[in-house]
Amino acid sequence: MFSLGQENIPSSPASTKGPVKYGELIVLGCNGSLPNGDKGRRRSRFALCRRNKANGVKPSTVHSSCTPQAAKAVSNKEQHSISYTLSRAQTVVVEYTQDGSTDMFQIPIDYVVTDTLPGGQTLVDGQTVQSTISRFACRIICQRDAPFTARIYAAGFDSSKNIFLGEKAAKWRMQDGHMDGLTTNGVLVMHPRQGFTQGSKPGLWREISVCGNVFTLRETRSSQQRGKMMEPECNELVDGSLVDLCGATLLWRTAEGLAHTPTVKHLEALRQELNAGRPQCPVGLNTLAFPSMRRKDVLDEKQPWAYLRCGHVHGYHGWGGRRNPEVEAECQERECPMCRTRGPYKPLWLGCEAAFYLDAEPPTHTFIPCGHVCSAKTAAYWSQIPLPHGTHTFHSACPFCIEALSGEAGCIRLIFQSPLD
């Protein structure tokens, strides 16, 4: 039924002429765009490109007491500084100077990231649920010249170019005399093993400090006791690194990695080829078709549905359950008429965010229980990743909607029936 392969992937925008792109941050759970559309700085993905003028900073002078120079550094809105409050009587201030070789990007200063909820929903302004993402979550420093290394640091500078770590924040003095610390809910990073490729395996979650050092996770997300420092490891982001801000998780894709990623145009070609095979409901014998990506969340009368315990694909039918498909999508288990296996009965949706795919193979597998469909290796990879959930738990989740996965594998191969004629 399928013939498109890796060699037919259209070239990525990351490889076209224009400003140098370091990479992109893609928010997990948005499936290509925010529910109400990408607008302004509030988007589902953010491109980090070389700035016209470098704005990176690096540490310089350390003031171990409240000297006039330290007070001047904190009050000067043109001077970056980090203040570490050790007690009411002592604050260590570290001055930062301009670094012409790097660019700095801050979340959510340069880019606005809102909390992502299961099902791909996001918190928006005016809602009563308080965001757990810090107003100054983290910063990413990119080298302006090749190989364009990107490094991540906890905490971001406020509008006065200051970072303040209060008395209760975890902080300590390092051997070189500089200070370091952790933010309240922490910035967690996971680097995949063997790159972001068909052979990728999940790595271990680590916590990144204000100075970019790497630590094992704290006992609880906001504990004042830091984890063990992992000196051989560094804060450099690699293709496929995950960044968790305690409320939203982002995927980092390098410009080089994006150049080898299937584009939305390629995914659309796969959708059309799948529909061209005219898969049929094995009971009703009506032809099924995945809706266009513009209608990725709207149930269609030709929508494929599947029993997620066995993988048999059907059209919608109402026997043995409610007759309203909108209600049925949230319904209890049903019995497959093909094999009598009982399990969730859900509509199938194509995963539309191309950056989440490890390959360009056809959509043959679905996550359980949300019904998002993607390639086999993509489904297997994401099913193995324990994503941070809340402040102290982890669970595997669909990258397209971050709904927690269920079942032994978290995904299943779909069984389509070809037309009988």
Side-chain angles (χ1 to χ4, degrees):
M1 182 182 292
F2 306 102
S3 61
L4 292 175
Q6 186 77 27
E7 69 277 4
N8 292 319
I9 301 177
S11 61
S12 167
S15 62
T16 59
K17 292 183 179 180
V20 173
K21 179 188 286 187
Y22 302 126
E24 292 190 18
L25 286 167
I26 302 96
V27 183
L28 264 61
C30 294
N31 198 19
S33 64
L34 296 178
N36 298 320
D38 290 348
K39 301 172 184 177
R41 292 187 303 148
R42 196 182 301 277
R43 311 180 69 82
S44 63
R45 60 192 300 150
F46 309 99
L48 277 63
C49 299
R50 186 161 62 190
R51 297 182 184 276
N52 294 330
K53 182 180 179 181
N55 73 330
V57 293
K58 56 185 177 182
S60 58
T61 308
V62 178
H63 302 280
S64 297
S65 58
C66 298
T67 63
Q69 292 86 351
K72 183 179 178 181
V74 173
S75 61
N76 185 358
K77 293 187 177 181
E78 300 303 315
Q79 172 80 56
H80 289 82
S81 69
I82 301 182
S83 300
Y84 300 85
T85 302
L86 303 181
S87 66
R88 292 184 179 180
Q90 186 180 14
T91 298
V92 176
V93 177
V94 180
E95 288 188 44
Y96 277 67
T97 58
Q98 297 298 314
D99 183 0
S101 66
T102 63
D103 287 332
M104 179 170 64
F105 304 88
Q106 299 199 103
I107 300 172
I109 308 298
D110 296 300
Y111 307 110
V112 177
V113 178
T114 57
D115 293 62
T116 308
L117 306 175
Q121 299 302 305
T122 57
L123 294 183
V124 296
D125 294 337
Q127 288 191 279
T128 56
V129 181
Q130 186 175 2
S131 173
T132 54
I133 301 174
S134 167
R135 291 182 301 146
F136 312 108
C138 69
R139 60 197 192 279
I140 295 174
I141 304 291
C142 299
Q143 290 290 331
R144 289 173 61 84
D145 297 318
F148 309 114
T149 303
R151 295 181 181 276
I152 187 168
Y153 302 79
F157 294 98
D158 62 20
S159 59
S160 298
K161 298 186 177 180
N162 295 317
I163 292 175
F164 295 98
L165 289 185
E167 221 175 317
K168 294 184 179 180
K171 67 187 83 65
W172 57 92
R173 192 183 297 274
M174 297 184 289
Q175 291 182 347
D176 59 4
H178 278 77
M179 295 292 297
D180 199 0
L182 304 173
T183 54
T184 301
N185 287 328
V187 174
L188 308 188
V189 173
M190 189 277 283
H191 306 301
R193 291 183 284 124
Q194 302 175 38
F196 197 68
T197 63
Q198 296 184 40
S200 291
K201 299 292 181 184
L204 297 174
W205 284 99
R206 302 298 194 199
E207 181 165 8
I208 304 298
S209 72
V210 172
C211 292
N213 292 307
V214 182
F215 295 84
T216 59
L217 302 187
R218 290 178 269 183
E219 281 193 15
T220 61
R221 191 96 185 213
S222 58
S223 171
Q224 289 185 305
Q225 183 64 41
R226 70 178 189 267
K228 179 183 177 183
M229 187 172 179
M230 307 301 292
E231 292 194 39
E233 301 179 25
C234 69
N235 61 336
E236 179 181 341
L237 296 175
V238 299
D239 192 36
S241 291
L242 287 171
V243 178
D244 186 80
L245 304 178
C246 194
T249 306
L250 300 92
L251 172 70
W252 168 255
R253 297 301 311 273
T254 63
E256 182 180 0
L258 287 170
H260 297 90
T261 294
T263 61
V264 173
K265 186 176 179 180
H266 180 76
L267 297 184
E268 173 63 16
L270 288 175
R271 182 190 75 87
Q272 293 181 11
E273 182 150 344
L274 175 57
N275 289 346
R278 296 172 57 219
Q280 284 191 340
C281 173
V283 177
L285 301 182
N286 51 307
T287 301
L288 308 176
F290 281 94
S292 69
M293 293 190 181
R294 291 191 303 272
R295 295 175 57 83
K296 61 183 180 181
D297 299 317
V298 181
L299 278 172
D300 186 86
E301 61 179 7
K302 293 185 177 181
Q303 187 94 22
W305 287 62
Y307 290 88
L308 301 185
R309 196 64 52 79
C310 60
H312 283 110
V313 179
H314 290 68
Y316 173 73
H317 52 77
W319 63 76
R322 297 187 175 97
R323 302 222 171 242
N324 183 347
E326 297 285 352
V327 176
E328 190 69 62
E330 306 298 329
C331 195
Q332 72 284 352
E333 292 189 343
R334 292 271 299 273
E335 184 178 271
C336 173
M338 296 293 291
C339 64
R340 298 308 203 193
T341 301
R342 294 192 65 83
Y345 173 62
K346 291 290 187 75
L348 300 178
W349 309 95
L350 282 176
C352 299
E353 179 49 74
F356 296 157
Y357 283 74
L358 273 73
D359 57 21
E361 295 303 309
T364 57
H365 285 62
T366 185
F367 291 105
I368 305 171
C370 61
H372 279 106
V373 180
C374 60
S375 67
K377 290 183 178 177
T378 299
Y381 174 73
W382 287 102
S383 297
Q384 297 175 59
I385 296 179
L387 293 174
H389 178 67
T391 58
H392 61 280
T393 60
F394 291 78
H395 63 216
S396 56
C398 167
F400 302 105
C401 68
I402 67 165
E403 184 171 348
L405 302 183
S406 60
E408 186 174 334
C411 60
I412 193 169
R413 178 178 173 272
L414 294 169
I415 304 173
F416 290 91
Q417 175 166 301
S418 300
L420 301 178
D421 52 9

